Amino acid sequence: MTAFPKIAKIQYEGPKSKNPLAFRWYDENEVVEGKTMRDHLRFSVVYWHTFRGTGSDPFGAATMARPWDDGSNSVENAARRARAAFEFIEKLGAPFYAFHDRDVAPEGATLAETNRNLDAVVRVLQEEQRRTGIKLLWGTANLFSHPRYMHGAATTCNADVFAYAAAQVKKCLEVTKELGGGNYVFWGGREGYQNLLNTDMKRELDHLGRFLHMAVDHARKIGFTGQFLIEPKPKEPTKHQYDSDAAACCNFLRAYGLFDHFKLNLETNHATLAGHTMMHELDYTAGQGRLGSIDANTGDLLLGWDTDQFPTNYYLTAECMLVILKYGGLAPGGVNFDAKVRRESFEPIDLFHAHIGGMDAFARGLKIAAEIRSEGVLDTFVRNRYRSWDAGIGAEIESGRADFASLEQYMLGKGEADPNESGRQELLENIFNRYVG
Ligand code: XLS
Ligand code: NI
Ligand code: NI
């Protein structure tokens, strides 16, 4: 049985191609800045949207046509779906995938039964990984769908639910290790609050810190050496998510002694929900030495929630790649398409169109960013803009040799600061356009 009988392996055909089932920019073997596109971008397909997304929304039922999926909760159906997923990822030519424990295998009546279901599907995943060479970018536990998690998981008011979540993450960590996952992600799920009148925020944050320390300890115990990642998001499903943005995550990690154990998995639509650009979140995080991986998607300017659309905008991808290249890449992280097709795009072929578009947009962004870097116009401008710090008073301040008194002395002698120069924003935007156009 094949899930996508009419589709052959997607090939690179170059920018002039009009074939909707070919890459125009993503040539996995093309070398950019000394590395292949495949190694720069490390594309990953998400299991949850791509193979579990039904197209249902608060106003209507499922729309997706997925002929390989009988809609049942059986382990057999889960196994068949896993094989379809690997056929898709293989034909697409993405080297990685990512999953939540509960989207690969069905929840059972008890934790033990659920774990058995997961083990059964993990065997299929293992087989398919071996057959195709596709690797697991990251695993994660779904600690938000089941009603038991209504008040959160690590930050719930119900200690039993915390214990359940711990058991679930323990198992998911072990499975991620078994499958050779390079990373393990914690997205905050329902870790946050709807109303402070019923919430002990300090206690909840302390519990989250405790939970993540337990995860670090268990990873050490079982010899899991993958990278732990936290994924910031400011709202949805709760009004205020604790991991609201990159800065909040870094502060939380520092406050709870977890900074060295975690990096961040940044998602474009989460950045914009937080009132930031993705470039801001990337630049801030990388500057803190905490850039781990990205969830590639985009939001809609007119909608205020996580619409998780596929990225197609070259400006966005070029901005992302500029920061990623500047800080030396994402490995062992990658570019993970945490994105879903619209509910009106219900045919299996739409999954190909969506991913091909996203991969091409990032490949194009990579090339634009590399060209900008090779010509160095922006770098030169920025370096020159800060030249007052390279010598004289600036160097004294940066090296810690200056204090308020010495700076007062300096300024009393000089009388007035050196004049400012133009920031040239419009010129730089025009220069950026030269590369994108
Ligand atoms: C939800 C998150 C989620 C994580 C994985 O908004 O993006 O999909 O990436 O739990
Ligand atoms: Ni995500
Ligand atoms: Ni998201």
Side-chain angles (χ1 to χ4, degrees), residues 177-317:
K177 175 178 186 257
E178 220 179 309
L179 292 171
N183 304 268
Y184 185 90
V185 165
F186 292 87
W187 164 57
R190 293 180 192 274
E191 315 294 20
Y193 62 81
Q194 303 289 12
N195 192 314
L196 278 177
L197 297 180
N198 66 7
T199 302
D200 187 335
M201 175 152 46
K202 169 74 165 66
R203 205 165 182 184
E204 294 199 357
L205 287 170
D206 288 351
H207 294 167
L208 183 56
R210 173 68 44 92
F211 192 90
L212 296 179
H213 271 291
M214 289 183 191
V216 169
D217 292 344
H218 192 67
R220 191 174 298 135
K221 195 161 150 196
I222 65 174
F224 174 69
T225 54
Q227 175 67 53
F228 274 139
L229 300 168
I230 291 204
E231 183 176 324
K233 182 176 184 179
K235 51 192 164 200
E236 199 204 21
T238 72
K239 180 170 86 167
H240 183 101
Q241 301 273 127
Y242 290 134
D243 301 330
S244 53
D245 65 3
C249 286
C250 284
N251 179 58
F252 174 84
L253 292 173
R254 284 201 173 96
Y256 286 90
L258 291 157
F259 198 69
D260 294 338
H261 299 290
F262 284 81
K263 287 190 173 178
L264 302 191
N265 179 41
L266 299 172
E267 178 166 321
T268 321
N269 207 164
H270 298 180
T272 48
L273 285 178
H276 305 307
T277 61
M278 180 62 162
M279 194 180 190
H280 166 91
E281 289 291 81
L282 283 163
D283 212 2
Y284 175 79
T285 306
Q288 299 293 308
R290 296 296 95 188
L291 178 58
S293 198
I294 68 168
D295 273 5
N297 62 18
T298 191
D300 185 304
L301 275 182
L302 304 182
L303 301 175
W305 61 91
D306 199 12
T307 60
D308 286 333
Q309 285 158 240
F310 279 82
T312 53
N313 183 328
Y314 296 160
Y315 278 86
L316 170 67
T317 56

Side-chain angles (χ1 to χ4, degrees), residues 9-29:
K9 174 118 198 332
I10 307 301
Q11 306 289 342
Y12 169 72
E13 291 185 3
K16 295 223 160 67
S17 173
K18 292 196 173 149
N19 176 1
L21 292 175
F23 294 117
R24 294 168 59 239
W25 298 104
Y26 181 60
D27 174 1
E28 60 174 12
N29 297 316

